[in-house]
Amino acid sequence: MEENTELQKEESVTPETIESPAEEIEEPIVPLHEQKVLGVSRFAFWGILFGYGGGLILCGIIGMLANIEINNTLLFGIGGAATGYFIGEHITKKITANQPAQDKYSQKP
């Protein structure tokens, strides 16, 4: 019987023996217009991607309508990417201007 009580004492769980889960440090959520991808804002990066694809599609459509073969699709792609970049930067500036002046990444509870 004495062995059982000793085992029960060893098996009993006290608050000190329970390891509390590591408290997670909440990192501030960075708004999309302030995030950077490869040195440009996220919206400008998306504009570059969609603009390049749109330029290639435009090249194909012009080639089909004019019934000619366009060998240099790079110019259309770069033109579309540049257009997308400028549109993305414009959107980023517009969103940034509309944001109220607050502490950086502060959140209201």
Side-chain angles (χ1 to χ4, degrees):
M1 281 205 146
E2 291 177 21
E3 292 178 11
N4 287 341
T5 57
E6 288 177 19
L7 287 176
Q8 288 176 353
K9 288 180 183 177
E10 289 177 12
E11 292 177 0
S12 65
V13 179
T14 61
E16 293 83 27
T17 59
I18 298 175
E19 293 183 22
S20 62
E23 293 182 19
E24 295 181 16
I25 300 173
E26 292 186 25
E27 295 183 16
I29 299 171
V30 181
L32 281 177
H33 66 276
E34 292 181 9
Q35 295 177 3
K36 298 284 184 182
V37 178
L38 299 176
V40 297
S41 67
R42 183 167 297 273
F43 290 128
F45 182 72
W46 289 343
I48 291 169
L49 295 179
F50 286 111
Y52 185 78
L56 295 181
I57 291 172
L58 181 66
C59 177
I61 290 173
I62 290 172
M64 286 189 308
L65 292 177
N67 202 16
I68 58 173
E69 182 180 337
I70 301 174
N71 293 327
N72 194 358
T73 59
L74 186 62
L75 293 175
F76 286 94
I78 291 175
T83 304
Y85 170 78
F86 289 118
I87 292 171
E89 280 297 316
H90 178 73
I91 291 171
T92 301
K93 288 179 183 177
K94 197 172 231 184
I95 292 173
T96 304
N98 290 338
Q99 295 294 319
Q102 295 178 356
D103 294 334
K104 195 167 189 164
Y105 311 130
S106 66
Q107 296 177 351
K108 293 182 180 179

